[in-house]
Amino acid sequence: MATFLYKLGRLAFRRRHFVALIWVALLTLAGVGAASAPPAGNSSFSIPGTEAQKAFDLLEQRFPGASADGATARVVFKAPSGEKMTDAGNKATVEKTVDELADGSEVASVADPYTGNAVSKDGTIAYASVKYDVSGMELEESTKDALEDAAQQARDSGLTVEIGGDALQAVPETGATEVIGIAVAAVVLVITFGSLVAAGLPLLTALIGVGIGVSSITALASALELGSTTSILAMMIGLAVGIDYALFIVSRYRAELAEGREREEAAGRAVGTAGSAVVFAGLTVVIALVGLAVVNIPMLTKMGVAAAGTVAIAVLIALTMIPALLGYAGRRVKPAGAKGKRLGRFRKDDPKPDQPAGQPKANLGTRWASFVVRRPLAVLLLGVIGLGAAAVPAASLELGLPDDGSQPTSTTQRRAYDLLSEGFGPGFNGPLMVVVDAKGSDAPKDAFDDVAGEIKGLDGVVAVTPPAPNKGGDTATITVVPDSKPSSVQTEDLVHAIRDAGGDIEAKTGAETLVTGSTAMNIDVSEKLNDALVPYLVLVVGLAFLLLIVVFRSILVPLKAALGFLLSVMAALGAVVAVFQWGWLSGLMGVEETGPVMSMMPIFMVGVVFGLAMDYEVFLVTRMREAYVHGEKPNQAVVTGFKHGARVVTAAAVIMMAVFAGFIGSSESMVKMIGFGLAIAVFFDAFVVRMAIVPAVLALLGKRAWWLPKWLDRALPNVDVEGEGLRTAAERGTGPDEDRELART
């Protein structure tokens, strides 16, 4: 592989005009496609194999034209202090608002509060339910404006009016902190390279890659039913890995220049060595993201595949456009340390005037690695205990999906949620819909009544509506209002109790009872994700473990990498629980409402963090293996790996943390939580696991770290990630292009 990538790097350097033209053309094509694509429609949220989805499908079949997936709005009214909603003036205002809402072209129905028993017992709060023919993302702006105008007119009459539901659903915003994250990345690159030109290359290529990826997602959003969150997550991950991959290749290029190589040769060798690590690091990320398909939730699968596509683009750009841009930059990209020498300063690596030649002062990475290999057991124990302490809150992890109750208090959806809780109880915001399929029953009406009566006798039930049968009389819906909020454990227990009771009724009457609705759907998602976590771990970690065996030609190094990842991801989950569930530092993070952690968070973090963790493992440990295979002793190889790689890995980790942390400012609670979780996970993995635990374990293992059974060594392909073939050719005085033997390797 090193030879192929070496040739690719030299070719891209020589044919830089052609390479740049291809990528600019792809960016233009993707941009035109995004600009001309129809707006994204309904991002369908289906969960195959769950009871909630089965009931939802049954509703669409037995209640045709009911717009089961249509948007809904709850216009909530509160009377001024000392008045009631039943007062003549307030009642007239509400009825006028209901009439105005019913005139909309996309409105399917509007329920009058006074005829639909939608006034609170104390008479101070009422609500009107609005049902639309299309989903929230498909509503015309004129329809949303009409909804808000009607509410504003009621406010002008003296009422407090808020709007809940998904009719006002908007594309989440990421906020200014995303730009701050990119600015921090730029500063770190300038400090690392000491040059604006060299620092600008990773940023430029990362932005081009993300531009192509996100534009492609936007262009395909309508056809593939991709949600708005998909492009945000692709941007988040694409920016982080795009900058990091380019950073490693530019850094290696400058190191090759410092060894006296010509620029084209240096570009080829940078791509042949650091590029090999980029390919395998990118593969681990892609495997982790595509592996999300095993959960069998289409939305999660699409998110993973879209983000994986953006990572693949980042890898291709790093391997081709970086050497092309290095060709354009020419002498403006200096060899490592050249700037300091030109200004009359000494690099940390250079000998001082009173220091013997050949004994350069050790840099910080070298000094740290030397300390670790002298005290490996103490460093290992300290790192493991520290991560273990951070992981303690994860034992209290509660899972759920965000609803209007988790939105900022500044939003009308959150204020409507609070008003409904105040007037009708916390469970009113998450009613359960029970679907009774009596097609196989001899007495459907009796079966409907039996189900309603059974549910009324369950604990935690506030209200049960009478069964509402369809035209055929074989299916009915029953609305159940719990006495607890939608995301609570009590509501989850009630859902299971209704399902258990339905099993007994089916045995007696032949009627099947199904529980659905957004609350039941969220509960089923959480359970499905929990059930899929172990198979997903086995698949993703197993495939990546095999890949790393090929890369490192070792059994213990990949095993150590996987165990270290588990430590970092558990510690990161503990931090997420502490902030978003317990409320620690919630004000600093902009978390206005604590509650259950998003159901997708554990499995999504496992996938993404594993891929990113393997990035640092590959970049850092390949340098160690490179030194080891060239004859250095195990402990010295660890120090050498840190000497050449620690500074760049540190810069890459800081950049990735800055990019992820930039998404904490998002208005979408899911994006905010993922941004924080990934940023803290990178911190734990890069600075505790890879920088402390990894060298400590390698120092303790010694030569055993690189052990591989002979039969397996013969069976594995030689991918030559360290570029050993390139070095061998150089030692013979030939280049890889001229060395036929090497070309066959």
Side-chain angles (χ1 to χ4, degrees):
M1 174 178 285
T3 303
F4 169 76
L5 294 178
Y6 166 86
K7 294 178 180 179
L8 179 64
R10 293 192 62 175
L11 178 65
F13 188 95
R14 289 196 306 269
R15 307 295 185 192
R16 46 188 172 272
H17 303 307
F18 180 69
V19 171
L21 182 62
I22 288 178
W23 284 112
V24 170
L26 288 175
L27 179 61
T28 303
L29 184 64
V32 170
S36 58
N42 180 31
S43 178
S44 60
F45 187 79
S46 60
I47 323 168
T50 62
E51 180 173 313
Q53 185 63 45
K54 182 180 178 182
F56 186 81
D57 295 339
L58 185 65
L59 284 173
E60 290 190 325
Q61 177 186 346
R62 304 283 176 85
F63 291 81
S67 301
D69 60 346
T72 59
R74 276 179 170 175
V75 183
V76 188
F77 306 89
K78 183 175 182 180
S81 178
E83 299 181 16
K84 293 184 180 295
M85 290 306 304
T86 51
D87 294 347
N90 294 335
K91 186 175 181 180
T93 299
V94 172
E95 289 176 341
K96 180 181 177 182
T97 303
V98 169
D99 291 340
E100 291 177 355
L101 291 172
D103 290 338
S105 59
E106 294 179 310
V107 175
S109 63
V110 181
D112 189 310
Y114 301 103
T115 59
N117 193 27
V119 181
S120 63
K121 290 181 179 179
D122 62 4
T124 60
I125 297 174
Y127 69 91
S129 296
V130 186
K131 183 73 175 177
Y132 293 91
D133 293 321
V134 297
S135 69
M137 296 300 291
E138 293 174 315
L139 281 177
E140 297 287 344
E141 286 300 321
S142 59
T143 301
K144 296 181 180 181
D145 291 341
L147 175 61
E148 293 178 319
D149 290 344
Q152 186 58 48
Q153 290 180 20
R155 291 190 190 103
D156 294 340
S157 299
L159 298 178
T160 299
V161 186
E162 304 296 345
I163 304 171
D166 61 351
L168 296 182
Q169 182 178 359
V171 176
E173 300 174 356
T174 53
T177 50
E178 175 191 348
V179 179
I180 296 175
I182 296 177
V184 171
V187 171
V188 173
L189 287 169
V190 171
I191 294 174
T192 302
F193 291 136
S195 164
L196 289 174
V197 175
L201 296 183
L203 280 176
L204 177 61
T205 54
L207 290 173
I208 291 174
V210 167
I212 294 173
V214 173
S215 296
S216 300
I217 291 170
T218 304
L220 298 172
S222 178
L224 300 181
E225 297 183 345
L226 302 178
S228 57
T229 308
T230 303
S231 59
I232 292 179
L233 295 177
M235 181 191 304
M236 182 192 303
I237 296 170
L239 268 177
V241 300
I243 294 173
D244 276 9
Y245 294 164
L247 165 65
F248 281 100
I249 292 179
V250 173
S251 178
R252 188 60 182 253
Y253 171 76
R254 296 177 71 237
E256 296 291 339
L257 289 179
E259 293 184 10
R261 293 190 172 87
E262 295 295 326
R263 294 188 176 273
E264 182 180 330
E265 177 70 10
R269 290 181 177 276
V271 176
T273 52
S276 298
V278 165
V279 169
F280 281 97
L283 273 176
T284 59
V285 180
V286 169
I287 287 173
L289 291 170
V290 174
L292 291 170
V294 303
V295 183
N296 196 25
I297 295 179
M299 186 188 77
L300 192 59
T301 300
K302 292 173 185 177
M303 288 167 55
V305 171
T310 307
V311 171
I313 292 172
V315 171
L316 292 174
I317 282 187
L319 297 178
T320 56
M321 195 168 186
I322 282 293
L325 292 179
L326 289 172
Y328 283 120
R331 297 184 180 278
R332 287 186 290 273
V333 176
K334 305 294 183 182
K339 181 178 179 181
K341 291 177 181 177
R342 179 165 52 84
L343 296 177
R345 299 193 308 268
F346 288 96
R347 295 172 58 207
K348 291 182 179 181
D349 294 354
D350 293 334
K352 301 296 182 184
D354 58 348
Q355 186 175 343
Q359 297 181 17
K361 182 181 177 180
N363 61 18
L364 182 60
T366 303
R367 295 197 297 274
W368 169 250
S370 298
F371 169 77
V372 174
V373 297
R374 288 198 305 270
R375 303 284 189 273
L377 188 58
V379 172
L380 176 62
L381 291 176
L382 185 62
V384 171
I385 292 172
L387 290 178
V392 168
S396 303
L397 177 67
E398 295 178 9
L399 298 177
L401 285 179
D403 53 23
D404 285 348
S406 62
Q407 296 215 30
T409 53
S410 58
T411 63
T412 186
Q413 292 93 333
R414 171 60 187 278
R415 292 196 292 264
Y417 180 98
D418 292 340
L419 284 176
L420 289 172
S421 296
E422 177 188 338
F424 301 92
F428 196 78
N429 283 292
L432 307 174
M433 179 178 287
V434 178
V435 182
V436 185
D437 180 7
K439 200 167 188 178
S441 175
D442 296 332
K445 188 176 184 306
D446 293 340
F448 301 154
D449 294 337
D450 287 345
V451 172
E454 189 74 25
I455 294 174
K456 286 180 181 178
L458 296 176
D459 294 334
V461 175
V462 171
V464 178
T465 64
N470 63 347
K471 291 182 180 180
D474 58 1
T475 307
T477 59
I478 301 171
T479 301
V480 180
V481 179
D483 66 359
S484 52
K485 63 181 183 178
S487 58
S488 67
V489 176
Q490 292 82 358
T491 301
E492 182 178 349
D493 293 339
L494 177 60
V495 169
H496 291 302
I498 295 174
R499 288 172 174 171
D500 292 341
D504 297 334
I505 293 174
E506 183 177 6
K508 293 186 294 184
T509 66
E512 184 179 11
T513 301
L514 305 171
V515 184
T516 188
S518 60
T519 301
M521 192 79 82
N522 291 349
I523 291 170
D524 286 351
V525 168
S526 299
E527 293 180 352
K528 192 175 182 69
L529 288 167
N530 283 338
D531 293 342
L533 185 57
V534 173
Y536 176 71
L537 268 174
V538 172
L539 173 68
V540 173
V541 177
L543 287 175
F545 180 77
L546 295 176
L547 185 65
L548 292 178
I549 288 178
V550 175
V551 173
F552 295 127
R553 308 194 76 77
S554 164
I555 298 293
L556 296 179
V557 170
L559 180 62
K560 172 262 311 168
L563 294 177
F565 149 74
L566 291 176
L567 276 174
S568 58
V569 80
M570 288 303 298
L573 275 176
V576 168
V577 170
V579 173
F580 290 89
Q581 187 175 311
W582 292 359
W584 294 4
L585 302 177
S586 57
L588 181 64
M589 298 297 168
V591 180
E592 297 189 19
E593 183 72 20
T594 59
V597 173
M598 183 187 64
S599 300
M600 295 181 184
M601 194 67 189
I603 200 162
F604 190 82
M605 277 190 64
V606 164
V608 177
V609 174
F610 182 78
L612 300 180
M614 294 307 103
D615 281 2
Y616 301 116
E617 182 76 14
V618 170
F619 290 133
L620 193 59
V621 180
T622 48
R623 275 289 197 169
M624 299 178 189
R625 176 168 172 76
E626 185 177 345
Y628 178 74
V629 298
H630 293 144
E632 291 189 9
K633 293 182 178 180
N635 282 6
Q636 183 57 41
V638 171
V639 176
T640 301
F642 267 77
K643 175 184 177 182
H644 293 295
R647 184 182 183 189
V648 181
V649 169
T650 300
V654 171
I655 289 170
M656 197 170 279
M657 288 167 56
V659 172
F660 288 148
F663 288 84
I664 295 175
S666 173
S667 61
E668 177 70 34
S669 59
M670 181 172 75
V671 176
K672 180 190 293 287
M673 191 179 294
I674 289 177
F676 171 80
L678 294 183
I680 197 70
V682 169
F683 172 78
F684 287 144
D685 196 85
F687 293 105
V688 181
V689 175
R690 309 303 154 188
M691 290 290 187
I693 293 178
V694 165
V697 171
L698 291 177
L700 289 171
L701 291 175
K703 290 184 178 180
R704 290 168 293 182
W706 308 106
W707 171 80
L708 185 69
K710 291 183 179 179
W711 63 269
L712 185 56
D713 187 34
R714 291 191 297 268
L716 291 177
N718 182 13
V719 295
D720 191 22
V721 174
E722 304 85 9
E724 176 64 15
L726 301 180
R727 186 180 295 268
T728 303
E731 290 171 353
R732 288 197 294 268
T734 62
D737 289 332
E738 296 80 22
D739 196 316
R740 296 180 181 178
E741 180 64 23
L742 180 58
R744 292 196 297 268
T745 303

